[in-house]
């Protein structure tokens, strides 16, 4: 029997192993006793940035990838110091290093 070879198509995003750049200029604005608005500059990637993860004290606080370059922090505790870092994720799931 003649067997037709199967052509394997690998999507560019799946073959992508390069992580995005690290988001920069992470700032907290509109700070209240329990909330703050985070903003950062857009990261770049060789294929494309799918979204961002936000970490507060090294714990990821977003369930879905953050699509834009801002995120509302809620349920903060008054007079508490927080470390907030942002990472970028591309379509293949490669995650950048976390921002400073």
């Amino acid at each position: 029997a003649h067997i037709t070879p199967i052509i394997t198509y690998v999507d560019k995003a799946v073959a992508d192993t390069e992580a995005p750049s690290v988001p920069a200029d992470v700032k907290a604005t509109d700070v209240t006793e329990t909330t703050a608005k985070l903003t950062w500059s857009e990261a770049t990637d060789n294929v494309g940035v799918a979204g961002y993860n936000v970490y507060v004290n090294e714990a990821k606080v977003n369930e879905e990838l953050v699509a834009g370059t801002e995120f509302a922090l809620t349920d903060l505790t008054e007079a508490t110091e927080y470390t907030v870092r942002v990472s970028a994720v591309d379509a293949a799931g490669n995650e950048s290093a976390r921002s400073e």
Side-chain angles (χ1 to χ4, degrees):
H2 179 72
I3 299 168
T4 309
I6 297 166
I7 295 165
T8 307
Y9 173 74
V10 178
D11 187 56
K12 220 172 32 174
V14 175
D16 176 20
T17 56
E18 195 175 306
S21 66
V22 179
D25 300 324
V26 179
K27 294 183 183 73
T29 56
D30 301 339
V31 178
T32 70
E33 290 168 0
T34 57
T35 64
K37 182 173 125 184
L38 274 189
T39 58
W40 56 88
S41 60
E42 213 170 319
T44 56
D45 182 64
N46 61 328
V47 176
V49 174
Y52 299 90
N53 283 324
V54 177
Y55 295 85
V56 175
N57 296 342
E58 302 306 321
K60 191 170 85 156
V61 293
N62 55 300
E63 288 187 19
E64 305 284 320
L65 282 178
V66 179
T69 55
E70 64 178 56
F71 184 77
L73 292 175
T74 56
D75 301 323
L76 300 176
T77 305
E78 192 180 350
T80 303
E81 201 171 284
Y82 291 94
T83 304
V84 179
R85 301 169 84 184
V86 180
S87 68
V89 182
D90 67 16
N94 300 310
E95 187 171 0
S96 74
R98 297 174 192 176
S99 64
E100 288 303 309

